[in-house]
Structures are given as C-alpha cells and as structure tokens.
Amino acid sequence: MKKSILLVLLLTITGIKAQDQYTRGMEKAMKLWSEQKIVDASNLFERIATAEMDNWLPYYYVAMVNTTASFGEQDEQKLSLQLGKAKEYIDIAKNISPNNPEILVLEAMTNTAWIAFDGATYGMTLSGKNVKLYQEAAELAPDNPRVVFGKAEWDMGAARYFGKDTAPYCKDIERSLELFATFKPESDFHPNWGQDRAKSVAEQCKS
C-alpha cells in the first residue's frame, strides 16, 4: 500500500514538473514572439513540440509565428521557407487534433500569406481551398470569433477583388466583436487573438 501511494505521488510530482517545464517554455516562447524574435520563438516552439508530441498547441504556434512573419515579406526564398515550415506543422497539428477550427483558420491564413505575396500565381489555386477551410471551420464552430472574423474578412477581400460591395460582411465583423467580448480560451496558451484586428476592420466599415 505504501509503495502504491509513493508511486502515485512520484508520478504526480513528475507530471507537475513536466507541466511546469511546458508552461515556462511556452511563456518564454510567447515573450520572444512578442519581442519580434521570430527565429528564436519558432525554434523554442519547435523544441516544445518535440517534447509534447500529443499536444497540438506548440505545433500550432510554430505555424502561427512563421505565417504572421510572412505577411509583407518580399524575399521569396525566405517566404517559402517560413510558409513551408508553417504548412508542415499545421499538418502535424491536424493529425493530433482533427476537425479543429483554430487550425483550419490558421491554414487559411497561411494560404492568404501566399496570395498576398503573389495573387496572380497563388490566387487561383489557393482561393478555393480557403473558401472550403472557412466553410468547414464555420460548420465546426459557428460561434468562434476567429472563425467568424476570418471568414468575413476573407469574403470582404474576395468581394473587393471582384469589385463587389463589401458592406454585407460588416455585420459579420460586428458579430465577431460580440463573440470576442465573451470568448474564454481553454487555457492561457489556447488561441485568443484577433480582436484588435476585428476592431480595425469594423472601423473601416464605418468610414
């Protein structure tokens, strides 16, 4: 009995220690990212992912860091490396957590980074994929603010490209802000971004 209690206690302590290492690592990686130390943040998220093989979050953030860094990037070789890594880690995250709307939104963002870089080359092949990704995400999580906002912003961009009115999508932007106001992430490290961007687009709707 005593041995059993000691074993349970040892396993509990080991679990807490591992969790503490994970928490410290994620906090440090987030800090590096906030300081625009993109390579350092990506590398640390990668190391955490190696140790957390059944946790989709560090894989998600490797992809997120590399995707967001790619918007505005003019060096095609650097862009290709970043977005190639993003896609690789998105695919792993999807295997760990299938039918995850957060990952689907991020995948659409990665495609959008390619389209923003060269719409003539990538628009035809990736636009249809994004439509499907946002539709799938909306079916899975119709009240997720990033899903609602991401789909609305994508639809606005498509309407603008084809010379159509973007106003019908403004109501969806407003709805995303309502959802952002009450959204509670599952943990400190679960996705909780997008509100500031949604506010900015909402202001554009009013102008």
Side-chain angles (χ1 to χ4, degrees), residues 1-203:
M1 181 69 176
K2 185 177 180 181
K3 287 183 178 179
S4 297
I5 293 172
L6 287 173
L7 179 61
V8 170
L9 183 60
L10 179 62
L11 290 172
T12 301
I13 291 170
T14 302
I16 291 171
K17 184 178 180 182
Q19 183 64 29
D20 284 347
Q21 289 175 341
Y22 168 73
T23 300
R24 287 195 299 271
M26 289 291 284
E27 287 175 348
K28 183 177 180 180
M30 291 288 190
K31 185 173 185 293
L32 289 168
W33 187 21
S34 71
E35 294 170 349
Q36 295 298 305
K37 297 176 180 177
I38 304 303
V39 174
D40 291 339
S42 177
N43 288 342
L44 183 50
F45 280 126
E46 287 181 56
R47 290 199 295 275
I48 297 168
T50 302
E52 296 279 332
M53 297 180 69
D54 60 346
N55 184 348
W56 63 274
L57 285 169
Y59 293 91
Y60 172 94
Y61 282 110
V62 173
M64 173 63 85
V65 167
N66 283 279
T67 294
T68 54
S70 296
F71 283 95
E73 179 59 60
Q74 298 301 311
D75 184 332
E76 186 169 3
Q77 184 177 7
K78 184 177 180 181
L79 182 88
S80 183
L81 287 171
Q82 290 176 168
L83 294 181
K85 178 173 284 189
K87 184 63 169 66
E88 175 188 349
Y89 278 79
I90 284 169
D91 288 344
I92 299 171
K94 288 171 76 173
N95 285 330
I96 296 170
S97 181
N99 301 317
N100 186 321
E102 300 285 5
I103 300 172
L104 296 177
V105 169
L106 177 54
E107 185 174 3
M109 283 177 59
T110 303
N111 291 341
T112 302
W114 275 117
I115 296 169
F117 174 71
D118 187 348
T121 300
Y122 299 105
M124 291 294 289
T125 57
L126 296 179
S127 292
K129 291 182 179 180
N130 270 12
V131 170
K132 290 180 181 178
L133 286 167
Y134 281 123
Q135 285 176 343
E136 185 180 349
E139 289 170 5
L140 290 167
D143 294 327
N144 180 300
R146 274 164 299 287
V147 171
V148 175
F149 172 67
K151 185 176 185 303
E153 189 176 34
W154 171 260
D155 289 339
M156 289 178 82
R160 196 176 294 115
Y161 179 80
F162 290 108
K164 296 181 179 180
D165 186 12
T166 61
Y169 304 107
C170 288
K171 66 180 186 303
D172 295 321
I173 300 296
E174 289 296 336
R175 179 168 175 263
S176 78
L177 285 174
E178 294 172 4
L179 293 170
F180 274 119
T182 58
F183 181 80
K184 296 287 190 294
E186 291 181 38
S187 76
D188 289 342
F189 303 125
H190 276 70
N192 194 27
W193 56 268
Q195 187 173 27
D196 290 344
R197 174 67 181 165
K199 287 179 179 178
S200 176
V201 176
E203 286 300 315

